[in-house]
Amino acid sequence: MEKLSPLQIERLKYQPKLPSSLSSGINCLEMSKGSATQSVRDQEQIQELFENTYGKPVVTFKNTSSSNTSDVRNVGVILSGGQAPGGHNVIAGLYDALKSANSANKLYGFLGGPSGIIEGSYVEFTDEFMNAYRNTGGFDIIGSGRTKLETEEQFKSSLEVCKKLNLSAVVIIGGDDSNTNAALLAEWFVKNNTGIQVIGCPKTIDGDLKNEQIEISFGFDTATKTYAELIGNIQRDANSAKKYWHFVKIMGRSASHVALEAALQTQPNVTLISEEVEEKKMSLESIINYMTDIIVRRSEIGKNFGIAIVPEGLIEFIPEMKSMISNLNDVMARMEKEGVAVSFEAVESRLDVSNAKVYSSLPALIKSQLLADRDPHGNVQVSKIETEKLLIEMISARLDELKSQGNFSGKFNAQSHFFGYEGRCAFPSNFDADYCYSLGYNAFALINFGLTGYLSSVRNLTQPADQWIAGGIPLTMMMNMEKRHGEMKPVIQKALVKLDGPVFKQLEQNREEWAMNDKYLFPGAIQYFGPSCVCDVTTCTLQLERAKEFASV
Ligand code: FBP
């Protein structure tokens, strides 16, 4: 038998909690429907593109005493995009709901992400297979991938595979891009009278797939707690040795929710928030000046150390960089079509004059990282751009200048870190274990009621799990038109950090104090067993956002 760690053994025994509406069983549910919905923007275009699935109502479940029987249903599940803690529990919830509805039901897992459904690569879940993965991190149960599902050929091959397995539904567990795929597939299946339903589940550590109905995507809770543990440890080290400035880049491709949450949990000296940089139109130079000022002021009181948090997506929010990257994306898409080899010179000669100037001013390392392959959705792979090193290099140069003018006499020794992959496959926290299991269980409830083009929604998350509200939100409700690969496409709108929201305000009100007077917090490792006030608390983000919502009711 495979050797397991003591924690693995104990976590396999954990029984995740369900909202009380779902806990009486999948066949004892009643569904209520709200009124028709609209997309967040570009309503006419989205309605035209999703004529069969647009405008559906938000739905909610409650339990009833009458028990229904359900038809035999086979379901396929896909893990899509970057790993997020809790994915295995979504599948466990889906599996348990499906089997409890009718033991003849079957669950198939498509291997390696969306490509699995196109290529017909799958595995059938059994009790033994499923049980080995309960409450564990990672997506290794069936693997994940970033293939975009969007072409007629891909839809046709997917249909053939679904017919072969006699599937009545497909569940796509993914972020904004993957759920855009889910919406496109749902529409295509209805348009072609296939009778196959598609349901999404909100996954991403980035925390940017959220709105009124989706309070948070799963994985954010565990990943941010993991990063906060590491930052806390580094703060202790910095405060002990008092000789290094630590620059920590934190994952989150676009929005800065992860960096902001990690900062609230640890209270570092400097935290950059990309959305603020964009709103205040801060140039790279002004960011350098802002950080240098804090470093100089701290050194004047004898503190040649500190911690700075840098969000992964920062570079795309600095106005001159944003314009250059957008131009660069178009140029690279054109060069790919024309079969032209990518090089600094070839790119620079095709960029607009001002963008070429910005590009050529960057260190060679960053220039080449900006030319790395785009992901299948056309995004720059910001995790590969070492912004933290760029900042260190530029701040060092600025401090040398100040030194030569007699305006800085301190020391600046910097260490760079990137925390990203470390947090994506951690054992899910109790919150994520329960939330994910509920999302999966609820996804099957949506299937059982015949819905398609919906995202599994579990709300009221700062309350105990039995008070959570289960239901579904139409995917088209979250969509708008955006430019991808040089063309306008329907996509789910990303939720960025709101600068007038309570979470950012918390940072804004405290950051000067945290910059100079070290108020470090040390969250320590995620705890799975012990007092509820340690093990079951969720993130500052969710608590602050929900508290505001309660206050406005
Ligand atoms: P998803 O949006 O698919 O959940 O992925 C998010 C993320 O973890 C980002 O934070 C990061 O930029 C990216 O994935 C890294 O992707 P990859 O795993 O392909 O390197």
Side-chain angles (χ1 to χ4, degrees), residues 53-83:
T53 47
Y54 186 84
K56 298 272 170 66
V58 170
V59 301
T60 329
F61 294 119
K62 63 174 193 213
N63 55 12
T64 84
S65 45
S66 54
S67 172
N68 312 311
T69 50
S70 52
D71 299 338
V72 174
R73 290 175 201 275
N74 292 347
V75 175
V77 63
I78 299 171
L79 287 166
S80 180
Q83 284 69 250

Side-chain angles (χ1 to χ4, degrees), residues 423-443:
R424 299 201 309 184
C425 287
F427 279 98
S429 60
N430 287 350
F431 172 84
D432 268 330
D434 297 344
Y435 180 42
C436 291
Y437 187 80
S438 302
L439 283 171
Y441 201 95
N442 182 59

Side-chain angles (χ1 to χ4, degrees), residues 251-458:
M251 217 174 225
R253 189 176 54 214
S254 198
S256 304
H257 300 291
V258 180
L260 180 54
E261 172 63 28
L264 294 189
Q265 287 186 34
T266 55
Q267 306 188 171
N269 305 105
V270 178
T271 306
L272 298 178
I273 297 297
S274 305
E275 290 82 345
E276 183 183 28
V277 165
E278 183 170 48
E279 171 75 20
K280 294 188 174 161
K281 300 191 173 38
M282 290 171 79
S283 61
L284 186 54
E285 194 187 355
S286 64
I287 295 171
I288 299 300
N289 288 343
Y290 166 70
M291 296 179 88
T292 306
D293 174 62
I294 294 175
I295 292 166
V296 171
R297 283 195 288 134
R298 281 179 66 84
S299 89
E300 283 164 358
I301 52 170
K303 295 179 178 179
N304 288 305
F305 67 94
I307 288 87
I309 305 283
V310 180
E312 183 187 56
L314 177 72
I315 197 149
E316 283 193 292
F317 286 75
I318 302 171
E320 72 267 26
M321 296 288 173
K322 185 179 179 168
S323 151
M324 183 269 289
I325 290 172
S326 150
N327 192 187
L328 188 62
N329 286 344
D330 292 350
V331 163
M332 285 180 61
R334 274 205 305 275
M335 286 169 72
E336 196 186 328
K337 267 189 202 149
E338 292 161 14
V340 180
V342 174
S343 67
F344 290 170
E345 297 70 30
V347 161
E348 269 173 48
S349 68
R350 285 168 171 81
L351 285 171
D352 300 344
V353 179
S354 57
N355 292 323
K357 209 168 145 198
V358 172
Y359 182 75
S360 67
S361 71
L362 295 169
L365 179 74
I366 305 292
K367 275 178 30 179
S368 70
Q369 289 168 351
L370 279 166
L371 298 187
D373 289 343
R374 272 41 189 162
D375 74 10
H377 303 275
N379 304 312
V380 174
Q381 299 193 53
V382 277
S383 60
K384 295 196 174 144
I385 300 174
E386 293 175 300
T387 332
E388 68 286 17
K389 292 193 179 154
L390 174 69
L391 294 176
I392 291 174
E393 197 175 311
M394 294 183 77
I395 289 169
S396 286
R398 181 88 190 98
L399 287 169
D400 285 347
E401 249 173 63
L402 292 175
K403 205 167 239 176
S404 67
Q405 296 158 2
N407 293 325
F408 175 63
S409 56
K411 288 192 185 118
F412 179 65
N413 284 320
Q415 300 278 0
S416 63
H417 313 262
F418 170 36
F419 297 155
Y421 300 98
E422 293 82 348
R424 299 201 309 184
C425 287
F427 279 98
S429 60
N430 287 350
F431 172 84
D432 268 330
D434 297 344
Y435 180 42
C436 291
Y437 187 80
S438 302
L439 283 171
Y441 201 95
N442 182 59
F444 188 73
L446 295 167
I447 294 170
N448 229 12
F449 276 90
L451 301 178
T452 191
Y454 273 76
L455 191 63
S456 177
S457 151
V458 174

Side-chain angles (χ1 to χ4, degrees), residues 455-512:
L455 191 63
S456 177
S457 151
V458 174
R459 293 182 288 133
N460 209 23
L461 296 172
T462 46
Q463 300 305 305
D466 61 347
Q467 293 169 37
W468 290 353
I469 300 165
I473 167 167
L475 285 162
T476 55
M477 192 179 170
M478 307 184 300
M479 299 187 93
N480 70 166
M481 302 296 293
E482 285 176 26
K483 203 171 190 189
R484 295 291 162 93
H485 283 299
E487 281 173 44
M488 292 307 281
K489 295 265 171 94
V491 292
I492 290 178
Q493 192 181 48
K494 263 191 204 306
L496 299 179
V497 169
K498 289 191 177 129
L499 299 185
D500 57 355
V503 192
F504 178 73
K505 289 280 170 214
Q506 182 87 356
L507 172 77
E508 196 178 36
Q509 281 154 17
N510 291 292
R511 63 181 160 191
E512 180 53 27

Side-chain angles (χ1 to χ4, degrees), residues 122-151:
Y122 61 86
V123 65
E124 186 187 335
F125 284 91
T126 59
D127 287 352
E128 195 190 0
F129 180 36
M130 187 68 253
N131 290 346
Y133 288 90
R134 289 177 189 268
N135 308 304
T136 57
F139 279 6
D140 42 331
I141 190 168
I142 50 174
S144 185
R146 290 196 183 276
T147 302
K148 188 153 174 51
L149 265 179
E150 61 175 353
T151 66

